[in-house]
Amino acid sequence: MSKTETEPHTESTMSQQTIKVVSAADFARNFGAREAFALDILVGLSEQRKRIPSQYMYDAEGSRLFDKITQLDEYYPTKCELDILERCAGRFAELADNQPFNLVEFGAGSALKASYLIEAFLKHNLDFQYVPIDISHSALEKLADDMTRRFPDLELTALISEYFTGIKWLNNRYRRKNIAIFLGSSIGNFSHAEARVFLRSMWNCLNNGDNLIIGFDLKKDIELLVKAYNDSEGVTAAFNFNVLERINRELGGEFDISKFRHIGTYDVFSGAMESYLVSLEAQDVFIDAIGRSFKFGPWEPIHIEYSYKYLESDIETLAAETGFEVIEHIYDSNRWFIDSFWRVKKTDSNG
């Protein structure tokens, strides 16, 4: 391989031909978070079925509103999972093998739910370190300070990283088992195909015998579901409208929020709650960072978010398809939610 193929950002002249090799770092310096946001909005609003990726709902204001949602009477998933963790954290400690391990949390947030597991694991004198992984530097700093005060004997390594990059770093640095936790009903925000890709990617990063604790919101009475995503105080609507306000704030958008309506509906075929913002009239909306307007017809929707619901049989099929073995399902008191304990299964032939 020639020198110009291996060294980044080099130039040479050969027979009046200029060769320039541009590295990933060169691109990164010129393509920041704002540009990525603008590109995703351009792509999403240019499609026949307009959409906005749900990841953009969780800026500071969106996160504040979501925390408020979790406290609403109609919104049951958070209460159900807290019920599981309050009653059954000791059971998860029993399921963990008595060997040193990393307790790895994806998207830790405030670590409220993980705290129940940490407390139980410490009481059972398990040898572990807590490894929250998140891309937010400030969030992880606050989490580390809070957890150090609450659990002074806790070994903690916070990773500012993408999820799977963080797992690979851990595996290279520590010869320990991993118990990964993906709590909430976060897996429900993926389509079934996306969930398989995500979990198989996780499987690739984990080692044979590692464990995963993963939350699933179960299929249940449809009226209960619809009320949870259309609360009487309008907080869920505000949460969804915030993504348009974020486009206005960060990309110079000109969305008039009063000309849209929030709708949360259940698709009985896919088994998903779906959130939309629907244009109430024909309108054009200009976005400065993109440099163009987007046309909306009357009653035309923008898809905002999926939240897929599962049967127990769906969970077991998903685990088997992605290389995991279900060890135990742990339910809340109403049997509306499951935190499932899985084991990674690998052979010499599949990694």
Side-chain angles (χ1 to χ4, degrees):
M1 184 174 289
S2 69
K3 181 178 181 181
T4 56
E5 290 176 309
T6 58
E7 292 188 359
H9 201 80
T10 61
E11 293 187 18
S12 63
T13 302
M14 301 174 58
S15 303
Q16 299 183 352
Q17 180 184 16
T18 299
I19 300 173
K20 181 174 181 178
V21 179
V22 181
S23 72
D26 292 312
F27 286 108
R29 283 192 290 268
N30 293 283
F31 196 74
R34 184 173 184 269
E35 289 79 7
F37 184 18
L39 180 60
D40 283 341
I41 298 304
L42 169 62
V43 171
L45 295 186
S46 298
E47 294 183 0
Q48 184 175 3
R49 298 180 66 174
K50 292 183 174 65
R51 62 178 180 84
I52 295 175
S54 59
Q55 70 197 66
Y56 293 111
M57 301 171 73
Y58 295 92
D59 62 348
E61 176 63 10
S63 297
R64 184 191 71 79
L65 287 166
F66 183 74
D67 286 344
K68 190 173 181 181
I69 287 171
T70 64
Q71 300 170 37
L72 296 171
D73 290 339
E74 296 102 324
Y75 192 78
Y76 62 85
T78 301
K79 299 179 183 67
C80 289
E81 191 166 40
L82 288 175
D83 173 61
I84 292 172
L85 295 170
E86 288 172 359
R87 293 185 302 105
C88 305
R91 177 56 184 156
F92 288 112
E94 293 169 359
L95 291 170
D97 293 335
N98 191 20
Q99 59 178 295
F101 64 91
N102 303 308
L103 180 65
V104 185
E105 183 170 20
F106 297 133
S110 67
L112 169 64
K113 295 173 183 177
S115 296
Y116 291 96
L117 296 174
I118 290 168
E119 185 172 12
F121 291 175
L122 290 173
K123 284 182 178 179
H124 281 72
N125 295 313
L126 301 183
D127 182 0
F128 74 100
Q129 68 166 334
Y130 174 52
V131 185
I133 302 179
D134 205 298
I135 59 172
S136 172
H137 187 285
S138 59
L140 281 182
E141 279 192 336
K142 183 178 186 305
L143 181 152
D145 289 342
D146 292 344
M147 298 300 280
T148 300
R149 283 194 296 269
R150 182 170 179 185
F151 303 108
D153 296 328
L154 176 66
E155 182 181 354
L156 186 149
T157 301
L159 301 183
I160 304 166
S161 170
E162 299 291 343
Y163 296 160
F164 303 139
T165 302
I167 285 284
K168 291 176 180 177
W169 182 89
L170 277 177
N171 288 338
N172 288 331
R173 188 173 180 87
Y174 299 98
R175 297 300 177 187
R176 287 181 172 184
K177 174 180 176 178
N178 298 300
I179 299 180
I181 53 179
F182 194 51
L183 300 177
S185 54
S186 299
I187 195 66
N189 296 137
F190 298 103
S191 69
H192 292 310
E194 291 168 339
R196 287 194 295 271
V197 170
F198 177 82
L199 289 169
R200 189 63 178 185
S201 298
M202 185 185 297
W203 178 92
N204 280 328
C205 295
L206 294 171
N207 299 315
N208 186 48
D210 284 353
N211 295 116
L212 171 64
I213 302 172
I214 181 170
F216 292 92
D217 192 11
L218 298 176
K219 291 181 178 178
K220 56 184 68 67
D221 181 79
I222 294 174
E223 288 187 7
L224 185 67
L225 292 171
V226 172
K227 285 180 180 178
Y229 291 82
N230 295 274
D231 65 275
S232 57
E233 296 182 32
V235 182
T236 307
F239 173 62
N240 286 305
F241 280 130
N242 178 65
V243 75
L244 299 187
E245 294 174 339
R246 182 179 180 185
I247 294 172
N248 289 350
R249 290 191 299 269
E250 299 183 20
L251 302 181
E254 297 179 359
F255 280 99
D256 182 344
I257 306 303
S258 67
K259 294 182 179 180
F260 288 84
R261 175 184 173 185
H262 157 76
I263 293 178
T265 186
Y266 183 72
D267 185 326
V268 294
F269 288 102
S270 69
M273 281 298 305
E274 299 182 359
S275 294
Y276 296 91
L277 296 175
V278 179
S279 175
L280 298 178
E281 59 184 62
Q283 55 180 308
D284 292 331
V285 178
F286 182 75
I287 301 177
D288 182 68
I290 299 174
R292 57 161 286 190
S293 294
F294 296 89
K295 186 178 294 292
F296 293 85
W299 305 108
E300 181 178 4
I302 307 172
H303 180 265
I304 302 297
E305 187 177 32
Y306 291 112
S307 183
Y308 284 85
K309 312 305 175 185
Y310 284 79
L311 297 174
E312 183 175 319
S313 58
D314 298 328
I315 298 170
E316 291 168 354
T317 297
L318 182 60
E321 288 177 341
T322 53
F324 294 88
E325 175 188 11
V326 175
I327 303 303
E328 187 168 333
H329 294 314
I330 300 181
Y331 294 83
D332 71 293
S333 301
N334 293 317
R335 298 182 74 84
W336 288 351
F337 199 97
I338 281 176
D339 276 337
S340 193
F341 192 86
W342 294 2
R343 178 185 296 132
V344 175
K345 293 178 62 178
K346 293 189 178 184
T347 65
D348 291 340
S349 60
N350 65 17

